[in-house]
Amino acid sequence: MRFLAVHPGPLMYTKIFLRLEPLGLELVAAAVRRAGHEARLIDLQAASHEDYFRLVDDWQPDVVAFSCNYLANVPEVVDLAKLTRARRPNTFIFVGGHSASFTAQELLEHAAGAIDCILKGEGEASVSELLEAVAHDRRALDRVPGAVSLDGEGPPARLVENLDALVPARDLLKRRRKYFLGTLDPCASIEFARGCPWDCSFCSAWTFYGRSYRVVSPERAVEDLASIREPGVFIVDDVAFVQSKHGLEIGEAIARRGIRKQYYLETRGDVLLRNKDVFRMWTRLGLSYMFLGLEAIDEEGLRKYRKRISLGHAFEALEFARSLGIAVAINLIADPEWDRERFAVVRQWCLEIPEIVNISVNTPYPGTETWRTEARRIHTRDYRLYDIQHAVLPTKLPLAEFYEELVHTQRVLAMKHMGWTAFRDVATIVLGHLARGQTNFFRSLWKFDSVFNPKLLLADHHRPVAYEMKMPPPVQAKVDPRQLYVLQARGRQGRAIDDATEQFVDATRMGTSE
Ligand code: B12
Ligand code: SF4
């Protein structure tokens, strides 16, 4: 069968700071090819809707599969499915990915028949079985693990047993030069581990994977890395190098192979402090950017986000990251409760530190604990606003003023690293990019005001809403994590970490899940 994989368009952040390859979809497409089908992939972060429809008309796929990791992309995916159905009534259309897995039933209802099914969980695990049913017996759909259709639901989604068996179909992605992250231009993505052993209340990374944590073997990781042509590499792991042994072994294998790249990764402050040797080694190997999850700059804020890391430790982690001599970015979560004074304090603090500071807005998502425990009621059911750049909970300031403060703060912070000042600091790198025809980073330096604008953010709240999100269930004081999992939990056995690391995780997490 002809299988077309589609990644939806960019959200706000991707319009400026970075654009990354849809690794999950490349893995699904690879599984489809292994099962003997013909696969193509189009990424609407780097191609237009017209390009997509041209491809559908010319290539006439038997199956179209959308990736929906981001809740904010739901309306786009539903509309594309409906338009595709109108053009090709017999094409089988399905959706998978992170957010689709948590909102399967409502997605099917919005699509009113234009989406044949949702495949929950890890696509590689059961996509070939799904295609088998599509080709030979559509009634068998409800026997495919993770498949949900308007007619019913199959058995629970299955976990991929061995990550080493997976190879992303990177060759399917046209325009690879479009992918970049800051000065890493162009940049590819790689996965060294999957899942997260922590259980932060505002996050759905752990609930999706049933709090499991699996690793790619060092040999396999380095083989994959060696096949990447791009000089920049984004390590997509939720928390990089949870266990030092794994990070050191991959590092040693990279050194042995003489691979030279520049890397970006995201990790936690307490992991950084626990595994200093690993991060020092990776700095020698080419680690250039690190994103540290701190989330708040005061004890109260950190408690609220249930990071059991004391403020002293958070600053110590920042100090250590600084000492590595690499670019460090941190994220702060702005609460809709923030008033002008709180924004001013944050601005002041951020201006005093050299790091890149990213500010996102506290947003409860389906699949998280906060979705069920947040007592403040969401004031919009427009999926498009759930991109952590908009306020979906009631704001203390009038909404227009909240956005003015937010964007003013984001602008002050962004300007530390954008425009001519930033250009002067990295002129040699940028001139090198331009000489090779890579313009993504250079252009990003001047885009801030066209994308981040308080009037545009406010206007987004007044767009007609075609698809309304389902309301959260009645507020619960305590949530049983089993209600949240997409992939079933296997407890301790599902986490590929040693006992010392398991104890460290236990001491730094707040939840009581298995
Ligand atoms: C890497 C990453 C990014 C990257 C790359 C995204 C990309 N181009 O794909 C960058 C840095 C760009 C990014 C940005 C953002 N991200 Co992000 N990101 C992640 C992260 C850490 C890992 C995703 C990943 O690549 N995993 C590895 C691959 C192999 O897995 P995968 O993509 O999930 O795919 C698997 C399954 O989902 C499924 N699948 C996926 N697609 C399909 C399609 C079909 C048909 C099928 C059957 C299956 C299937 O099978 C795949 C293989 O197993 C996740 C957290 C997580 N662990 O999921 C957050 C996460 C997805 N991001 C999140 C958010 C909020 C954002 C931003 C909105 C943040 C911001 N600052 O604005 C932006 C939006 C970007 C945009 N779309 O324009 C949230 C999503 C919340 C939500 N419910 O919508 C997550 C869950 C993080 C979190 N803990 O809350 N992100
Ligand atoms: S450490 Fe917390 S925020 Fe980070 S991925 Fe894990 S559960 Fe999510």
Coordinates of all heavy atoms in Angstrom, one line a residue, residues 7 10-11 13-14 18 20-25 27-28 45 65-67 69-71 73 94-99 119 121-124 191 194 203-205 208-209 234 236 238 358 365 387-389, ligand 1:
H7 N 3.2 15.4 9.2 CA 3.3 16.2 10.4 C 2.7 17.5 10.2 O 2.9 18.2 9.2 CB 4.8 16.4 10.8 CG 5.0 16.9 12.1 ND1 4.8 18.2 12.5 CD2 5.4 16.3 13.3 CE1 5.1 18.4 13.8 NE2 5.4 17.3 14.3
P10 N 3.7 24.5 12.0 CA 4.4 25.0 13.2 C 3.5 25.7 14.2 O 2.6 26.3 13.8 CB 5.4 25.9 12.6 CG 4.8 26.4 11.4 CD 3.9 25.3 10.8
L11 N 3.9 25.6 15.5 CA 3.3 26.5 16.5 C 4.2 27.7 16.7 O 5.3 27.8 16.1 CB 3.1 25.7 17.8 CG 2.2 24.4 17.6 CD1 2.1 23.6 18.9 CD2 0.8 24.7 17.0
Y13 N 6.5 28.8 18.8 CA 7.9 28.7 19.1 C 8.7 28.3 17.9 O 9.8 28.8 17.7 CB 8.0 27.7 20.2 CG 9.2 27.9 21.1 CD1 9.3 29.0 21.9 CD2 10.2 26.9 21.1 CE1 10.4 29.2 22.7 CE2 11.3 27.1 21.9 CZ 11.4 28.2 22.7 OH 12.5 28.4 23.5
T14 N 8.1 27.4 17.1 CA 8.8 26.9 16.0 C 8.9 27.9 14.8 O 9.6 27.7 13.9 CB 8.1 25.6 15.5 OG1 8.1 24.7 16.6 CG2 8.7 24.9 14.3
L18 N 13.4 27.5 16.5 CA 13.9 26.2 16.1 C 12.9 25.5 15.2 O 11.7 25.9 15.2 CB 14.2 25.3 17.3 CG 13.1 25.3 18.4 CD1 11.9 24.4 18.1 CD2 13.8 24.8 19.7
L20 N 12.4 21.3 14.1 CA 13.1 20.0 14.2 C 12.3 18.9 13.5 O 11.1 19.0 13.3 CB 13.3 19.7 15.7 CG 14.3 20.6 16.3 CD1 14.2 20.6 17.9 CD2 15.7 20.2 15.9
E21 N 13.1 18.0 13.0 CA 12.6 16.9 12.2 C 11.6 16.1 13.0 O 11.8 15.9 14.2 CB 13.6 16.0 11.6 CG 14.4 15.2 12.6 CD 15.5 14.3 12.0 OE1 15.2 13.5 11.1 OE2 16.7 14.5 12.4
P22 N 10.5 15.6 12.4 CA 9.5 14.8 13.1 C 10.0 13.3 13.3 O 9.6 12.4 12.5 CB 8.3 14.8 12.2 CG 8.8 15.2 10.9 CD 10.1 15.8 11.0
L23 N 10.8 13.1 14.3 CA 11.5 11.8 14.5 C 10.5 10.7 14.7 O 10.7 9.6 14.2 CB 12.4 12.0 15.7 CG 13.4 10.9 15.9 CD1 14.4 10.8 14.7 CD2 14.2 11.1 17.2
G24 N 9.4 11.0 15.5 CA 8.5 9.9 15.8 C 7.8 9.4 14.5 O 7.7 8.2 14.3
L25 N 7.5 10.3 13.6 CA 6.9 10.0 12.4 C 7.8 9.2 11.4 O 7.4 8.3 10.7 CB 6.3 11.3 11.7 CG 5.1 11.2 10.8 CD1 4.0 10.4 11.4 CD2 4.7 12.6 10.4
L27 N 10.0 7.2 12.5 CA 10.1 5.9 13.0 C 8.9 5.1 12.6 O 9.0 3.9 12.3 CB 10.2 5.9 14.6 CG 11.6 6.3 15.1 CD1 11.5 6.7 16.6 CD2 12.6 5.2 14.9
V28 N 7.7 5.7 12.6 CA 6.5 5.0 12.2 C 6.7 4.6 10.7 O 6.4 3.5 10.3 CB 5.3 5.9 12.4 CG1 4.0 5.2 11.9 CG2 5.1 6.2 13.9
Q45 N 5.6 21.7 8.9 CA 6.4 22.7 9.5 C 7.4 23.4 8.4 O 7.8 24.5 8.6 CB 7.3 22.2 10.6 CG 6.6 21.5 11.8 CD 7.5 20.9 12.8 OE1 7.7 21.5 13.8 NE2 8.2 19.8 12.4
A65 N -1.6 9.1 7.3 CA -1.4 9.0 8.8 C -0.9 10.4 9.3 O 0.2 10.8 8.9 CB -0.4 7.9 9.1
F66 N -1.6 11.0 10.2 CA -1.2 12.3 10.7 C -0.6 12.0 12.1 O -1.1 11.2 12.9 CB -2.4 13.2 10.9 CG -3.0 13.7 9.6 CD1 -4.1 13.0 9.1 CD2 -2.5 14.7 9.0 CE1 -4.7 13.4 7.9 CE2 -3.0 15.2 7.8 CZ -4.1 14.5 7.2
S67 N 0.4 12.9 12.4 CA 1.0 12.9 13.7 C 0.4 14.0 14.5 O 0.3 15.1 14.0 CB 2.5 13.1 13.6 OG 3.1 13.1 14.9
N69 N 1.2 15.2 18.1 CA 1.9 15.3 19.4 C 1.3 16.5 20.2 O 1.3 16.4 21.4 CB 3.4 15.4 19.2 CG 4.1 14.1 19.1 OD1 3.5 13.0 19.3 ND2 5.4 14.2 18.7
Y70 N 1.0 17.5 19.5 CA 0.7 18.8 20.1 C -0.8 19.0 20.1 O -1.5 19.0 19.0 CB 1.4 19.9 19.4 CG 2.9 19.7 19.5 CD1 3.6 19.2 18.4 CD2 3.5 19.9 20.7 CE1 4.9 18.9 18.5 CE2 4.9 19.6 20.8 CZ 5.6 19.1 19.7 OH 6.9 18.8 19.9
L71 N -1.4 19.3 21.3 CA -2.8 19.5 21.4 C -3.3 20.7 20.5 O -4.3 20.7 19.9 CB -3.1 19.9 22.8 CG -4.6 19.7 23.2 CD1 -5.0 18.3 23.2 CD2 -4.8 20.3 24.6
N73 N -2.4 21.4 17.7 CA -2.5 21.1 16.3 C -3.8 20.3 16.0 O -4.1 20.0 14.8 CB -1.4 20.2 15.8 CG -0.1 21.0 15.6 OD1 1.0 20.7 16.1 ND2 -0.2 22.0 14.7
F94 N -5.8 7.9 9.5 CA -5.7 7.7 10.9 C -4.7 8.7 11.5 O -3.9 9.3 10.8 CB -5.4 6.2 11.3 CG -4.0 5.7 11.1 CD1 -3.2 5.5 12.1 CD2 -3.5 5.5 9.8 CE1 -1.9 5.0 11.9 CE2 -2.2 5.0 9.6 CZ -1.4 4.8 10.7
V95 N -4.7 8.8 12.9 CA -3.9 9.7 13.6 C -3.2 9.0 14.8 O -3.8 8.2 15.4 CB -4.8 10.9 14.1 CG1 -3.9 12.0 14.8 CG2 -5.6 11.5 13.0
G96 N -2.0 9.5 15.0 CA -1.3 8.9 16.2 C -0.5 10.0 16.9 O -0.5 11.2 16.4
G97 N 0.2 9.7 17.9 CA 1.1 10.7 18.6 C 0.6 11.0 20.0 O -0.4 10.5 20.5
H98 N 1.4 11.8 20.7 CA 1.2 12.1 22.1 C -0.2 12.6 22.4 O -1.0 12.0 23.2 CB 2.3 13.1 22.5 CG 2.5 13.3 24.0 ND1 3.4 12.6 24.7 CD2 1.8 14.1 24.8 CE1 3.3 12.9 25.9 NE2 2.3 13.8 26.0
S99 N -0.6 13.7 21.9 CA -1.9 14.3 22.3 C -3.1 13.5 21.7 O -4.1 13.4 22.4 CB -2.0 15.8 21.8 OG -1.2 16.6 22.7
L119 N -4.5 5.6 16.5 CA -3.6 4.6 17.0 C -2.8 5.1 18.2 O -1.9 5.9 18.1 CB -2.6 4.1 15.9 CG -1.9 2.8 16.2 CD1 -2.8 1.7 16.6 CD2 -1.0 2.4 15.0
G121 N -0.4 5.4 21.6 CA 0.9 4.9 22.0 C 2.0 5.0 21.0 O 2.0 5.9 20.1
E122 N 3.0 4.0 21.1 CA 4.1 4.1 20.2 C 3.7 3.5 18.8 O 3.3 2.3 18.8 CB 5.3 3.3 20.8 CG 5.7 3.9 22.1 CD 6.7 3.1 22.8 OE1 6.5 1.9 23.2 OE2 7.9 3.6 22.9
G123 N 3.8 4.3 17.8 CA 3.4 3.9 16.5 C 4.0 2.6 15.9 O 3.4 1.7 15.3
E124 N 5.3 2.5 16.2 CA 6.1 1.3 15.6 C 5.5 0.0 16.1 O 5.6 -1.0 15.5 CB 7.6 1.3 16.0 CG 8.3 2.6 15.9 CD 8.3 3.4 17.2 OE1 7.3 3.3 18.0 OE2 9.3 4.2 17.5
E191 N 17.4 9.9 19.3 CA 16.8 9.5 20.6 C 17.8 8.5 21.3 O 18.2 7.5 20.6 CB 15.5 8.7 20.3 CG 14.7 8.4 21.4 CD 13.4 7.7 21.0 OE1 13.4 6.9 20.0 OE2 12.3 7.9 21.6
R194 N 14.0 6.6 26.0 CA 12.5 6.9 25.9 C 11.8 6.8 27.2 O 12.0 5.8 27.9 CB 11.9 6.0 24.8 CG 10.6 6.5 24.3 CD 10.1 5.5 23.2 NE 10.6 5.8 21.9 CZ 10.2 5.2 20.8 NH1 9.2 4.3 20.9 NH2 10.7 5.5 19.6
C203 N 3.1 17.5 33.7 CA 3.8 16.9 32.5 C 3.1 15.6 32.1 O 2.7 14.8 33.0 CB 5.2 16.6 32.8 SG 6.1 15.9 31.5
S204 N 3.0 15.3 30.8 CA 2.4 14.1 30.4 C 3.4 13.1 29.7 O 3.1 12.1 29.2 CB 1.3 14.3 29.4 OG 1.7 15.2 28.4
A205 N 4.7 13.5 29.8 CA 5.7 12.6 29.2 C 5.7 11.3 30.0 O 5.8 10.2 29.4 CB 7.1 13.3 29.3
F208 N 2.3 9.2 29.4 CA 2.3 8.5 28.1 C 3.0 7.2 28.1 O 2.4 6.2 27.6 CB 2.9 9.4 27.1 CG 2.8 8.9 25.6 CD1 1.7 9.1 24.9 CD2 3.9 8.2 25.1 CE1 1.6 8.7 23.6 CE2 3.8 7.8 23.7 CZ 2.6 8.0 23.0
Y209 N 4.2 7.2 28.7 CA 5.0 5.9 28.7 C 4.8 5.0 30.0 O 5.6 4.2 30.2 CB 6.5 6.3 28.6 CG 6.8 6.9 27.2 CD1 7.1 8.2 27.1 CD2 6.7 6.1 26.1 CE1 7.4 8.8 25.8 CE2 7.0 6.6 24.8 CZ 7.4 7.9 24.7 OH 7.7 8.4 23.4
F234 N 20.1 17.3 17.9 CA 19.2 17.6 19.0 C 18.9 16.2 19.7 O 18.4 15.3 19.0 CB 17.9 18.2 18.5 CG 16.8 18.4 19.5 CD1 16.7 19.6 20.1 CD2 15.9 17.4 19.8 CE1 15.6 19.9 21.0 CE2 14.9 17.6 20.7 CZ 14.8 18.9 21.3
V236 N 16.6 14.2 21.7 CA 15.2 14.4 22.1 C 14.8 13.9 23.5 O 13.7 14.1 23.9 CB 14.2 13.9 21.0 CG1 14.4 14.5 19.7 CG2 14.2 12.4 21.0
D238 N 13.7 13.2 27.1 CA 13.1 14.2 28.1 C 14.1 14.7 29.1 O 14.1 15.8 29.4 CB 11.9 13.5 28.8 CG 10.7 13.2 27.9 OD1 10.3 14.2 27.3 OD2 10.3 12.1 27.8
N358 N 13.6 31.1 28.8 CA 12.3 30.9 28.0 C 11.2 31.0 29.0 O 11.3 30.4 30.1 CB 12.4 29.6 27.3 CG 11.2 29.2 26.6 OD1 10.7 30.0 25.8 ND2 10.6 28.1 26.9
Y365 N -2.8 20.2 30.7 CA -3.0 19.4 29.5 C -3.7 18.1 29.8 O -3.4 17.5 30.9 CB -1.7 19.0 28.9 CG -1.1 20.0 28.0 CD1 0.1 20.7 28.3 CD2 -1.7 20.3 26.7 CE1 0.7 21.6 27.4 CE2 -1.1 21.3 25.9 CZ 0.1 21.9 26.2 OH 0.6 22.8 25.4
D387 N -0.8 26.0 23.7 CA 0.5 25.9 23.1 C 1.5 26.4 24.1 O 2.7 26.8 23.8 CB 0.6 26.6 21.8 CG 0.4 28.1 21.9 OD1 -0.1 28.5 23.0 OD2 0.6 28.8 21.0
I388 N 1.1 26.6 25.4 CA 1.9 27.2 26.5 C 2.4 28.6 26.2 O 3.3 29.1 26.8 CB 3.0 26.2 27.0 CG1 4.2 26.0 26.1 CG2 2.5 24.9 27.5 CD1 5.3 25.2 26.7
Q389 N 1.9 29.2 25.2 CA 2.2 30.6 24.9 C 0.9 31.5 25.3 O 1.0 32.7 25.4 CB 2.6 30.9 23.5 CG 3.7 30.0 23.0 CD 5.0 30.3 23.7 OE1 5.3 31.4 24.1 NE2 5.8 29.2 23.9
Ligands
B12_1 C1 11.5 16.8 21.1 C2 10.2 17.5 21.6 C3 10.0 18.7 20.9 C4 10.9 19.2 19.8 C5 10.6 18.6 18.5 C6 9.2 18.4 18.0 C7 9.0 17.8 16.7 N1 9.3 18.4 15.6 O1 8.5 16.7 16.6 C8 10.7 20.8 19.9 C9 11.8 21.3 20.8 C10 10.6 21.5 18.6 C11 9.4 20.8 20.7 C12 8.6 22.0 20.7 C13 7.5 22.1 21.4 N2 7.0 21.2 22.3 CO1 7.7 19.4 22.5 N3 8.4 17.8 23.0 C14 9.4 17.1 22.6 C15 9.5 15.8 23.4 C16 10.5 16.1 24.6 C17 9.9 14.5 22.7 C18 9.2 14.3 21.4 C19 10.0 13.3 20.6 O2 10.6 13.6 19.6 N4 10.1 12.0 21.1 C20 10.7 11.0 20.5 C21 9.8 10.4 19.3 C22 10.4 9.2 18.8 O3 8.6 10.2 19.9 P1 7.2 10.9 19.4 O4 7.4 12.1 18.6 O5 6.3 11.1 20.6 O6 6.5 9.8 18.5 C23 6.1 8.5 19.0 C24 4.6 8.5 19.4 O7 4.1 9.7 19.9 C25 3.9 8.0 18.2 N5 3.6 8.9 17.1 C26 4.0 10.1 16.8 N6 3.4 10.5 15.7 C27 2.6 9.5 15.2 C28 1.9 9.4 14.1 C29 1.2 8.2 13.9 C30 0.4 8.1 12.6 C31 1.3 7.1 14.8 C32 0.6 5.9 14.6 C33 2.1 7.3 15.9 C34 2.7 8.4 16.1 O8 4.8 7.0 17.7 C35 6.1 7.6 17.8 C36 7.2 6.6 17.9 O9 7.0 5.8 19.1 C37 8.1 15.7 24.0 C38 7.9 14.9 25.3 C39 7.7 13.5 25.0 N7 8.4 12.6 25.7 O10 6.8 13.1 24.2 C40 7.7 17.1 24.1 C41 6.2 17.5 24.0 C42 5.6 16.7 22.9 N8 6.3 18.9 23.6 C43 5.4 19.7 24.2 C44 5.2 21.1 24.0 C45 4.2 21.8 24.9 C46 6.0 21.8 23.0 C47 5.8 23.2 22.6 C48 4.4 23.7 22.4 C49 6.6 24.0 23.6 C50 6.8 25.5 23.3 N9 7.9 25.9 24.0 O11 6.2 26.2 22.6 C51 6.6 23.3 21.3 C52 5.7 23.2 20.0 C53 6.5 22.9 18.8 C54 5.7 22.8 17.5 N10 5.0 21.8 17.2 O12 5.7 23.8 16.7 C55 4.5 18.8 25.0 C56 3.1 18.5 24.3 C57 2.0 18.9 25.1 C58 0.7 18.8 24.4 N11 -0.1 17.9 25.0 O13 0.4 19.4 23.4 C59 5.3 17.6 25.3 C60 4.5 16.3 25.6 C61 6.2 17.9 26.5 C62 5.5 17.9 27.8 N12 6.1 17.2 28.8 O14 4.5 18.5 28.1 N13 9.1 19.7 21.3

